[in-house]
Amino acid sequence: MAQYAPTLNPPKTLIPKLPNPNPSFSSISTFRTPKPKSKNFSTISMSVTAGQNQQQHQKPPSLDVLINSARKEEVIGAIKNSSSHCLSETNLHLTVPGLKSKTRGKVRDVYDSGDYLVMVTTDRQSAFDRILASIPFKGQVLNETSLWWFDKTQHITSNAVVLAPDENVTIAKKCSVFPVEFVVRGFVTGSTDTSLWTVYNNGVRNYCGNALPDGLAKSQKLPANILTPTTKAADHDVPVTPDEIVECGLMTQAEYDERVALEHGLILVDTKYEFGKGKDGSILLIDEVHTPDSSRYWIAHTYEERFKNGLEPENVDKEFLRLWFKDHCNPYEDEVLPDAPEELVRELSWRYIFLYETITKSEFKLPSTEEPIHDRISRNVARALSSLT
């Protein structure tokens, strides 16, 4: 994840609505967050088909839709045509007046505009603390998925979002970021060195302060969700216990206790949250929420039967790409990694779009390739920043 700049003080007054600089971009481009009504956090109750809460009559998503559908054919065609237009790198500090510096994260490029941070979500695919590939439309999916969830969770906790002037861009308040990721896990799964299944299968029975019973199987649902924080390092994340977070001065006990309330009731396989402290001392949700990068999603209605039959759950995330690299190299130690096969890149792009459409119950708007994406972002960001001055 990109590291945010130390806090400076953004204005308290939110800006007026911008006219939509891109007619093809939805009204989320004027997203803003009001103050929460209460400091008491309610619980999040969400399934992998969260967008269907008000449309129960619709058929639940299945792997069949992922594999064979008219929508997939349409999207795959666009993916093929966009493979050479991926947003792998940005240099807005060279094209947008007023941007002072660039911080390059694994996926996001973060620019300092003085009062705000301009966060550009690229198409870079990260896993094993490395960049594996560039995935068409991934940046847009992540940015728009996060904005949808920021909007849906603002009654639970405040966030740092100010507005989103472009499909790939969020402008946010500056925060002093806690160097801790809050990883919430509901199932025993994963393939990385710090995943719950990996450490459990290696005999660990107390992980980040959570006592784990013997006899758990891969993909099994835990008796209760657990919180497994990790410290944020430049090259990798390190698991820590809640006590260690406080002892090392990463957060105070009061700050940590306020965040823990968020994890109750989550039924995602696993997900992570990051937080920062604003000028007024309030704790704000930052970075991203419930995206395919920060979360693991399974198809809900087939999980029980597949688990009983010893089958892997149907997943809608990047796990299959992780597994391909683990099968073909040592992604932690090999200096040079093989190129990801084009069919896997296209499949991952489609799965990201499928997940966005399943959650939000809205059609993903495929961007035009007539204007170079970097030019479009530069134009939209420059216009947005000029309105904030």
Side-chain angles (χ1 to χ4, degrees):
M1 289 293 123
Q3 295 291 325
Y4 295 76
T7 185
L8 294 178
N9 299 328
K12 288 186 177 181
T13 304
L14 294 180
I15 44 77
K17 280 191 175 183
L18 283 174
N20 193 345
N22 185 348
S24 66
F25 192 33
S26 68
S27 60
I28 205 168
S29 60
T30 54
F31 174 86
R32 56 190 37 72
T33 56
K35 283 189 176 182
K37 296 179 181 179
S38 171
K39 292 280 281 185
N40 296 321
F41 298 111
S42 59
T43 59
I44 301 173
S45 180
M46 188 194 72
S47 72
V48 291
T49 55
Q52 299 183 3
N53 289 347
Q54 298 178 358
Q55 303 187 38
Q56 293 294 332
H57 63 281
Q58 294 194 4
K59 185 178 179 180
S62 70
L63 206 60
D64 290 339
V65 180
L66 272 174
I67 296 172
N68 297 301
S69 69
R71 177 59 174 162
K72 180 176 182 178
E73 291 181 10
E74 175 190 3
V75 171
I76 287 293
I79 292 170
K80 289 179 180 178
N81 293 332
S82 298
S83 295
S84 61
H85 302 285
C86 284
L87 184 66
S88 300
E89 198 69 46
T90 68
N91 290 290
L92 298 190
H93 58 302
L94 303 179
T95 60
V96 177
L99 293 185
K100 301 178 180 180
S101 64
K102 171 185 175 181
T103 302
R104 188 180 190 272
K106 295 175 184 176
V107 174
R108 289 170 182 78
D109 292 340
V110 181
Y111 296 88
D112 185 347
S113 73
D115 290 328
Y116 302 97
L117 294 178
V118 176
M119 298 183 293
V120 184
T121 309
T122 72
D123 296 329
R124 297 192 294 264
Q125 183 64 54
S126 171
F128 308 108
D129 300 315
R130 305 179 69 163
I131 304 301
L132 302 182
S134 290
I135 310 298
F137 309 132
K138 178 198 168 182
Q140 180 180 340
V141 169
L142 294 189
N143 195 53
E144 293 186 347
T145 300
S146 278
L147 289 169
W148 191 89
W149 277 116
F150 277 127
D151 182 47
K152 297 300 180 185
T153 59
Q154 58 186 319
H155 66 289
I156 299 172
T157 186
S158 300
N159 60 64
V161 176
V162 175
L163 76 159
D166 184 273
E167 293 94 322
N168 290 70
V169 180
T170 295
I171 296 179
K173 301 174 185 177
K174 281 188 173 180
C175 295
S176 176
V177 176
F178 297 117
V180 178
E181 288 185 353
F182 293 86
V183 184
V184 182
R185 306 179 191 271
F187 295 77
V188 185
T189 191
S191 60
T192 64
D193 284 355
T194 57
S195 71
L196 187 55
W197 170 245
T198 299
V199 297
Y200 185 86
N201 197 40
N202 288 334
V204 175
R205 294 296 180 268
N206 192 302
Y207 189 48
C208 298
N210 299 284
L212 302 171
D214 291 327
L216 295 177
K218 186 179 183 184
S219 303
Q220 184 170 348
K221 192 177 190 307
L222 291 166
N225 294 330
I226 63 173
L227 188 64
T228 59
T230 62
T231 62
K232 291 189 62 59
D235 55 347
H236 65 285
D237 299 333
V238 181
V240 292
T241 66
D243 287 345
E244 289 170 337
I245 290 174
V246 177
E247 290 170 3
C248 294
L250 302 178
M251 300 180 75
T252 67
Q253 186 66 53
E255 291 165 347
Y256 181 85
D257 291 344
E258 188 172 356
R259 294 305 92 208
V260 173
L262 279 173
E263 68 97 6
H264 297 291
L266 282 171
I267 56 174
L268 280 170
V269 180
D270 49 49
T271 191
K272 74 158 182 73
Y273 303 101
E274 295 183 48
F275 298 91
K277 181 179 284 191
K279 172 189 175 183
D280 61 357
S282 62
I283 297 177
L284 302 175
L285 183 61
I286 63 172
D287 200 57
E288 60 182 330
V289 185
H290 299 169
T291 71
D293 269 16
S294 66
S295 312
R296 194 187 312 271
Y297 286 90
W298 290 341
I299 300 295
H301 74 285
T302 61
Y303 164 73
E304 289 288 349
E305 182 178 357
R306 293 181 68 86
F307 177 72
K308 290 177 182 177
N309 293 326
L311 300 174
E312 288 286 336
E314 295 176 330
N315 70 78
V316 197
D317 53 42
K318 62 184 180 182
E319 182 67 10
F320 75 96
L321 187 65
R322 286 194 194 104
L323 295 175
W324 185 89
F325 275 93
K326 289 197 76 171
D327 288 343
H328 290 81
C329 62
N330 184 332
Y332 288 106
E333 297 181 4
D334 291 353
E335 184 174 345
V336 179
L337 301 183
D339 291 334
E342 281 300 316
E343 59 269 23
L344 290 188
V345 169
R346 290 193 291 266
E347 177 64 23
L348 184 56
S349 179
W350 157 241
R351 289 187 179 213
Y352 274 41
I353 292 171
F354 172 85
L355 184 59
Y356 170 83
E357 294 185 340
T358 300
I359 291 173
T360 67
K361 281 299 164 190
S362 60
E363 185 173 293
F364 178 77
K365 292 180 173 61
L366 296 166
S368 169
T369 57
E370 293 181 3
E371 181 181 18
I373 186 170
H374 198 281
D375 292 352
R376 185 199 77 205
I377 291 173
S378 297
R379 171 172 53 81
N380 288 337
V381 169
R383 181 176 180 175
L385 291 178
S386 67
S387 74
L388 295 173
T389 58

